[in-house]
């Protein structure tokens, strides 16, 4: 698998691997923007993203292990 331009990413809610300036995360397209899976933290009791999700590239998630 190779990184692909974000313009070619699926926008149907499929979980994919995203590459951003802040790091990599699992994410998906939702409500007109990229969302992150399991990359959240809490500040002063308010849930907000751990980093801004502005991806430049994407790739499919790898297959899960069979064992």
């Amino acid at each position: 698998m190779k990184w692909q331009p974000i313009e070619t990413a699926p926008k149907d809610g499929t979980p994919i691997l995203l590459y951003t300036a802040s790091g990599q995360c699992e994410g998906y397209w939702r409500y007109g923007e990229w969302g992150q899976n399991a990359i959240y933290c809490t500040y002063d009791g308010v849930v907000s993203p751990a980093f801004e999700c502005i991806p430049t590239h994407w790739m499919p998630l790898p297959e899960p292990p069979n064992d």
Side-chain angles (χ1 to χ4, degrees), residues 17-27 30 34-43 47-56:
L17 188 59
L18 299 172
Y19 181 85
T20 76
S22 301
Q24 301 171 32
C25 66
E26 181 183 333
R30 63 168 184 197
W34 292 105
Q36 307 165 43
N37 287 338
I39 309 289
Y40 284 86
C41 58
T42 301
Y43 299 105
V47 176
S48 60
F51 59 86
E52 194 170 14
C53 189
I54 302 175
T56 59

Side-chain angles (χ1 to χ4, degrees), residues 2-28:
K2 292 184 178 182
W3 289 107
Q4 301 172 49
I6 196 62
E7 295 80 17
T8 64
K11 292 188 175 178
D12 60 1
T14 301
I16 56 177
L17 188 59
L18 299 172
Y19 181 85
T20 76
S22 301
Q24 301 171 32
C25 66
E26 181 183 333
Y28 53 94

